[in-house]
């Protein structure tokens, strides 16, 4: 990722998790904002082919991949 404001990025990740309460419910207790931000940043760097997607979708996908308990919580996206 380009140089980013870490505090702003962490705030964004926290906002996505707070807005999608199902994410918080399927993650283990004690996961920190720093851990969630690190997971999201690594996911975005590793998946350059989908970087055009919305930020909230990328954060959600990163956490679903990182926490297996979240995988059954969200239905796979249907393609038209």
């Amino acid at each position: 990722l380009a140089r980013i404001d870490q505090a702003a990025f962490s705030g964004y990740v926290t906002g996505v998790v707070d807005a999608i309460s199902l994410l918080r419910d399927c993650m283990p207790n004690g996961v920190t904002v720093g851990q969630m931000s690190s997971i999201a940043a690594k996911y975005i760097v590793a998946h350059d082919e989908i970087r055009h997607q919305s930020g909230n979708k990328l954060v959600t996908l990163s956490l679903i991949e990182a926490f297996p308990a979240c995988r059954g919580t969200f239905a796979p996206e249907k393609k038209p």
Side-chain angles (χ1 to χ4, degrees), residues 38-73:
S38 179
I39 289 166
K42 288 176 185 176
Y43 182 87
I44 292 166
V45 168
H47 293 86
D48 188 55
E49 74 282 0
I50 60 169
R51 242 189 242 180
H52 65 283
Q53 299 285 338
S54 67
N56 65 324
K57 183 172 185 174
L58 294 172
V59 170
T60 301
L61 290 172
S62 72
L63 296 174
I64 289 170
E65 183 176 285
F67 300 106
C70 295
R71 292 183 190 149
T73 303

Side-chain angles (χ1 to χ4, degrees), residues 9-10 32 37-38 45 57 59 79:
F9 185 72
S10 293
T32 68
S37 298
S38 179
V45 168
K57 183 172 185 174
V59 170
K79 301 212 180 215

